[in-house]
Amino acid sequence: MAARIANERGWTLGSEVGWQVRFERRFTAATRLLVVTEGVLTARLQADPLLSEFNTIILDEFHERSVHADLALALARQAWRARVPPTSSRSSVASSRDDLRIVVMSATIESGPVSAFLDGCPVIDVPGRMHPIEVRYTPEDSVAEASSGALAATTGNVLCFLPGAPEIRRAVNDLQTRLNRDVEIVPLHGSLDAEAQDLALRPSTRRRVIVATNIAETSLTVPGVTAVIDSGLHKVARYDSDRGIDSLDTERITADAADQRAGRAGRLAAGIVWRLWDSRDRLRPHREPEIHRIDLASTVLDVIAWGGDPRTLEWFDRPSDEAIDAALTLLRRLALVDGVATELAPPGAGSPGVPIRLTAIGERVRRLPLHPRLGRMLVTSNGARSIAQACALLSERHLMPARTASTTSDLLSAIDDWRNVPSHVQRVAEQIVRSLDLKPSPGFHEADFRRAVLSGYPDRVAQRREAGSASVRLASGTGATIASESGVREGEFLVALDVSQRSADVGVRASATRSAHVPRGAGGGAGVQAVDLPRIRLASLVDRDWLEPTSSEIVHRFDRQAGHVRALRVNRYDALVLGEHHVTPDPELAAQLLADAWIERGPGPDDARLLRRLRFAGRTVDLASLLRAAAYGARALDDVKLESGLGADVMRALEREAPETLLVPSGRTTRLDYNEDGTVTASVKLQELFGLAETPQVGARREPVVLSLLAPNGRPVQVTRDLRSFWDRTYPEVRKELRGRYPKHRWPEDPWRAQPTARTTTRRK
């Protein structure tokens, strides 16, 4: 862009017009116009919040709604609205700035909200000169088929829009087999180095089919285009802060993006656009701002470095409180900020007494043009070259080849094969090294490398569920699987550097009112999205003793097999268990667990009998409270006896109202059984009741005891609740039978005068 301006104005590139990107710059003190990225603008605003060296800020292509553009607008507005001191001694009132202008430019964005944010600034409509464009909808065509038709119908170059590099590679292969060799097929996407990108942007004597991502919508101008093939798809970065997972989802483009793409066909002459979807599909009107779908750690760090509080900043489009909180939590975890309370202040409430500020490490990291994670790695390693190379690999999202051998770190393996890393990644690594004001420490070893990686990804630790298993649990609590392309196949703990939610190749996220048609040759297919577990493509081992517990708690569990309550001190790293140690159970918690286990199992015979006695006596008890009292101090379920939970007064009263035993004439006692139907029974040998005329009665209502009269063999010969009637009417017949069966026993004719006895036979003299 700077070169184009220099050419049009007759200026010298690097003199009157200059440029600055993340690692490179070309300008002087004489520069009048500086072309920069939004990130560079934000960095300048941090160093000079009033942007005093400039009098005009132009934010171009604002409709793309990058998070950097949103933040740049918010900070630029603060600079514009800043009040300056009085200009003379006559005036004591400060005035608003009139020496700074802000221009927001876009071909498609709705201007009203931007104008309102800038205090109702004027809106200037500049009509463009566009040649007529014919739009054709051909959902049945592949990219190659549509390109063939476009070459026949037009005389210029063909620009094809596809969602990503893999789809471009497949389409290029298809085009090479279908088109003749007179047509040059050129890929164009952000993963290519500058030389490869320049190839697509230079004029050529041959007709071309340029297969590009949405980088060619606005960022780069491809010359000589008279036909556009639009797949209707793009890839969108999303971040799930709850699970700490990044994803790159293939989605339908929005209507403004479709218009922007179509406009590329009508800049030089009348053009044609092939849209590879159904004309009845209705796209969403505008793209979703990045600020609502990506990780905000870098953005929040920029705000704090600028001197603001992200919770109270006047955003153009305020991100959610959850996203801000997640970013602050990560920055605190990286030790880049402090003063962040656990209970964050509500929006607009400010943070009295809890100012957010950069730490010493945060000051060093914020000067590095990298994500805070990567900057933290560099500071931890004190600028080790291997970590700079790792940061380049990660920042450029380089797709590393699958590992065929085991390794302790996929990053280290990639660095060992540095010669085969793309040149643009190598160049970024060298730029990182040059940008550092750190002096590398000597003797930086493999373990130091892995520990530096952990410092940048402390929240991405994962733990294998079993030794050698690919199934892991992330520190967030989410399950995941280690992809086959990772070479980290051993070790219990690891850092998951690249965690993505991969969708099965059966559909795309639809953003139209009808199901999205995915054209052949664009990758994917129409249908419902099927989601697998998150996949870890890049990992690095972590030694167990590097992990300091983030929480520790005593957990009580009831061991069903042993019937005991066990207490363990559990040390955790987020959701991962680092270790467990047996401790003495808390009596209250143990009692509750035993009480719950008792209820789940049900009462044993003794407790069931006690409960029936209580019901018979009309005693109402709170079973839950009774159980807790009975279980207090017990170690095992079998030790829980309800009787121990009843007070001595209750037990004495219960003995009166529902006695446990019955004294019989023989002088022995026999157990009384209290039944569910309210009856009371006892089993006693017939000889022990000789002389007893009245049936025993128990309880306040004088309930007769149902007696099972037993023969010497312990089997009942009669069941009665009327002893007098038994002795008078039934005993003679029973006596006759028993004398025949048990001749050695005493069976007197007169049971009224006979001596009751518990002995079973007559004593010989």
Side-chain angles (χ1 to χ4, degrees):
M1 186 180 294
R4 177 67 176 267
I5 293 171
N7 179 264
E8 290 188 352
R9 299 288 296 176
W11 289 349
T12 301
L13 182 62
S15 180
E16 295 94 339
V17 58
W19 54 269
Q20 182 179 357
V21 295
R22 182 171 58 163
F23 291 114
E24 298 178 75
R25 61 181 63 190
R26 189 173 176 184
F27 60 88
T28 68
T31 297
R32 299 172 58 189
L33 176 63
L34 185 62
V35 184
V36 303
T37 62
E38 296 106 332
V40 169
L41 173 58
T42 298
R44 283 184 168 271
L45 282 161
Q46 290 173 10
D48 178 11
L50 293 178
L51 215 63
S52 55
E53 295 182 13
F54 298 86
N55 56 33
T56 304
I57 303 171
I58 301 174
L59 295 174
D60 196 11
E61 307 291 0
F62 191 73
H63 62 272
E64 292 185 352
R65 293 303 308 280
S66 74
V67 68
H68 303 293
D70 272 28
L71 179 59
L73 179 61
L75 300 188
R77 176 176 179 260
Q78 293 291 327
W80 173 58
R81 298 180 72 183
R83 301 180 69 82
V84 296
T87 57
S88 68
S89 58
R90 295 182 179 180
S91 173
S92 61
V93 180
S95 60
S96 298
R97 292 184 68 182
D98 58 3
D99 60 336
L100 183 67
R101 297 178 177 85
I102 300 175
V103 181
V104 180
M105 300 203 303
S106 170
T108 59
I109 198 169
E110 185 180 353
S111 59
V114 181
S115 174
F117 185 69
L118 296 176
D119 296 348
C121 71
V123 176
I124 302 172
D125 186 12
V126 182
R129 293 183 298 172
M130 184 66 67
H131 295 278
I133 298 174
E134 177 187 349
V135 178
R136 301 177 181 179
Y137 291 90
T138 59
E140 69 284 353
D141 282 352
S142 68
V143 170
E145 290 167 343
S147 297
S148 181
L151 288 169
T154 64
T155 58
N157 294 330
V158 178
L159 177 59
C160 306
F161 286 100
L162 288 173
E167 294 83 358
I168 287 176
R169 284 193 293 270
R170 291 196 291 269
V172 166
N173 290 336
D174 195 11
L175 286 162
Q176 288 172 341
T177 61
R178 183 177 295 271
L179 303 181
N180 64 56
R181 295 186 178 180
D182 293 336
V183 178
E184 189 177 6
I185 302 166
V186 184
L188 177 59
H189 52 82
S191 299
L192 298 173
D193 58 29
E195 184 178 349
Q197 291 187 30
D198 288 344
L199 176 64
L201 305 180
R202 286 196 296 265
S204 173
T205 56
R206 298 165 58 190
R207 293 191 71 184
R208 282 180 169 179
V209 175
I210 300 96
V211 192
T213 60
N214 55 0
I215 191 175
E217 277 183 31
T218 56
S219 303
L220 301 174
T221 299
V222 180
V225 173
T226 56
V228 165
I229 312 298
D230 190 354
S231 68
L233 305 174
H234 64 169
K235 289 191 175 177
V236 177
R238 295 189 179 277
Y239 177 72
D240 185 336
S241 60
D242 292 334
R243 297 183 299 165
I245 291 175
D246 300 302
S247 65
L248 197 59
D249 298 338
T250 300
E251 301 182 4
R252 294 298 299 273
I253 62 173
T254 53
D256 60 346
D259 292 341
Q260 194 85 12
R261 291 179 175 187
R264 295 288 165 168
R267 291 196 168 189
L268 301 177
I272 305 177
V273 177
W274 275 259
R275 288 178 171 169
L276 306 187
W277 65 86
D278 195 295
S279 61
R280 293 170 294 176
D281 287 348
R282 294 294 176 265
L283 306 178
R284 288 184 292 116
H286 300 290
R287 65 198 78 196
E288 182 182 6
E290 270 190 344
I291 205 165
H292 296 309
R293 56 179 171 80
I294 67 168
D295 167 29
L296 296 182
S298 290
T299 306
V300 167
L301 185 66
D302 285 339
V303 173
I304 297 171
W306 173 76
D309 185 332
R311 298 169 296 184
T312 58
L313 180 71
E314 295 179 42
W315 299 87
F316 169 64
D317 190 352
R318 179 183 172 82
S320 69
D321 294 335
E322 293 77 10
I324 294 175
D325 292 353
L328 287 169
T329 298
L330 175 58
L331 294 175
R332 183 173 54 178
R333 192 78 178 265
L334 295 173
L336 305 186
V337 302
D338 59 18
V340 183
T342 303
E343 299 80 22
L344 297 177
S351 313
V354 194
I356 304 173
R357 60 184 181 273
L358 296 181
T359 63
I361 296 176
E363 286 285 358
R364 297 165 72 186
V365 167
R366 68 105 171 174
R367 294 188 177 93
L368 301 173
L370 294 166
H371 188 280
R373 292 186 187 274
L374 306 183
R376 185 66 170 94
M377 288 168 53
L378 277 168
V379 170
T380 299
S381 71
N382 207 35
R385 177 172 287 273
S386 58
I387 290 295
Q389 293 170 329
C391 290
L393 288 166
L394 293 169
S395 66
E396 296 302 302
R397 300 184 68 93
H398 170 56
L399 297 176
M400 291 171 234
R403 302 289 154 206
T404 56
S406 296
T407 180
T408 59
S409 174
D410 291 316
L411 280 176
L412 267 177
S413 295
I415 292 169
D416 290 341
D417 191 30
W418 190 249
R419 288 179 301 177
N420 292 322
V421 170
S423 59
H424 75 283
V425 178
Q426 296 187 27
R427 185 169 61 252
V428 168
E430 292 304 315
Q431 291 167 336
I432 291 173
V433 171
R434 289 198 301 270
S435 70
L436 297 174
D437 57 357
L438 302 170
K439 294 181 179 179
S441 301
F444 191 75
H445 302 296
E446 180 263 0
D448 300 317
F449 179 95
R450 292 189 288 112
R451 197 156 191 168
V453 170
L454 172 63
S455 73
Y457 292 82
D459 57 327
R460 293 286 187 91
V461 175
Q463 182 179 25
R464 290 186 196 271
R465 297 187 186 275
E466 296 178 2
S469 171
S471 178
V472 300
R473 190 183 191 202
L474 297 172
S476 62
T478 301
T481 183
I482 301 176
S484 58
E485 51 260 46
S486 171
V488 180
R489 302 186 178 101
E490 301 296 335
E492 181 182 5
F493 293 96
L494 52 95
V495 171
L497 295 166
D498 184 331
V499 186
S500 59
Q501 184 75 60
R502 182 184 67 174
S503 300
D505 195 20
V506 296
V508 298
R509 187 191 300 267
S511 58
T513 57
R514 301 175 61 252
S515 295
H517 172 81
V518 183
R520 289 177 288 122
V528 179
Q529 190 177 46
V531 178
D532 298 330
L533 279 175
R535 298 172 68 252
I536 301 172
R537 292 181 55 256
L538 296 176
S540 186
L541 278 184
V542 172
D543 290 4
R544 165 64 183 79
D545 56 4
W546 296 348
L547 300 175
E548 294 292 334
T550 58
S551 66
S552 182
E553 65 173 330
I554 295 177
V555 176
H556 289 71
R557 300 169 183 158
F558 177 71
D559 185 336
R560 285 180 172 78
Q561 186 173 1
H564 286 268
V565 171
R566 304 191 187 281
L568 299 168
R569 180 178 295 280
V570 181
N571 294 326
R572 289 191 173 89
Y573 187 90
D574 295 348
L576 307 180
V577 175
L578 295 179
E580 298 179 341
H581 308 283
H582 287 281
V583 296
T584 302
D586 178 271
E588 292 285 351
L589 297 176
Q592 186 59 59
L593 286 173
L594 288 172
D596 293 341
W598 187 98
I599 291 174
E600 183 179 341
R601 181 203 65 182
D606 291 343
D607 287 342
R609 185 164 176 266
L610 178 62
L611 290 172
R612 291 194 296 271
R613 288 177 66 197
L614 289 166
R615 283 196 296 272
F616 180 86
R619 294 271 176 174
T620 301
V621 294
D622 180 349
L623 182 58
S625 299
L626 176 58
L627 273 171
R628 283 195 297 273
Y632 191 87
R635 296 293 302 273
L637 181 58
D638 290 341
D639 297 336
V640 180
K641 306 296 182 184
L642 289 182
E643 183 176 336
S644 66
L646 295 171
D649 292 344
V650 175
M651 289 303 299
R652 283 193 294 269
L654 186 63
E655 190 57 34
R656 293 192 306 269
E657 299 161 0
E660 186 175 12
T661 60
L662 175 69
L663 179 65
V664 295
S666 68
R668 294 205 315 166
T669 58
T670 186
R671 190 178 73 178
L672 291 172
D673 290 321
Y674 293 84
N675 305 309
E676 295 293 345
D677 61 0
T679 61
V680 185
T681 60
S683 296
V684 61
K685 291 179 181 179
L686 186 149
Q687 297 102 314
E688 295 191 70
L689 298 179
F690 287 156
L692 183 61
E694 300 298 331
T695 301
Q697 298 175 338
V698 296
R701 66 174 187 263
R702 310 302 299 163
E703 179 70 23
V705 177
V706 179
L707 296 168
S708 291
L709 305 178
L710 306 180
N713 64 358
R715 293 180 179 178
V717 295
Q718 185 70 28
V719 177
T720 183
R721 61 191 304 168
D722 187 350
L723 266 179
R724 183 179 296 278
S725 176
F726 169 76
W727 295 130
D728 288 341
R729 300 176 184 176
T730 309
Y731 176 70
E733 294 296 326
V734 171
R735 175 177 177 268
K736 184 186 300 184
E737 178 185 347
L738 293 179
R739 285 184 66 191
R741 292 169 56 189
Y742 305 100
K744 295 182 180 181
H745 287 255
R746 294 176 61 245
W747 303 108
E749 290 186 24
D750 185 359
W752 300 106
R753 293 186 176 86
Q755 182 68 31
T757 179
R759 297 179 62 85
T760 57
T761 58
T762 303
R763 178 177 298 178
R764 295 179 182 272
K765 293 184 179 180

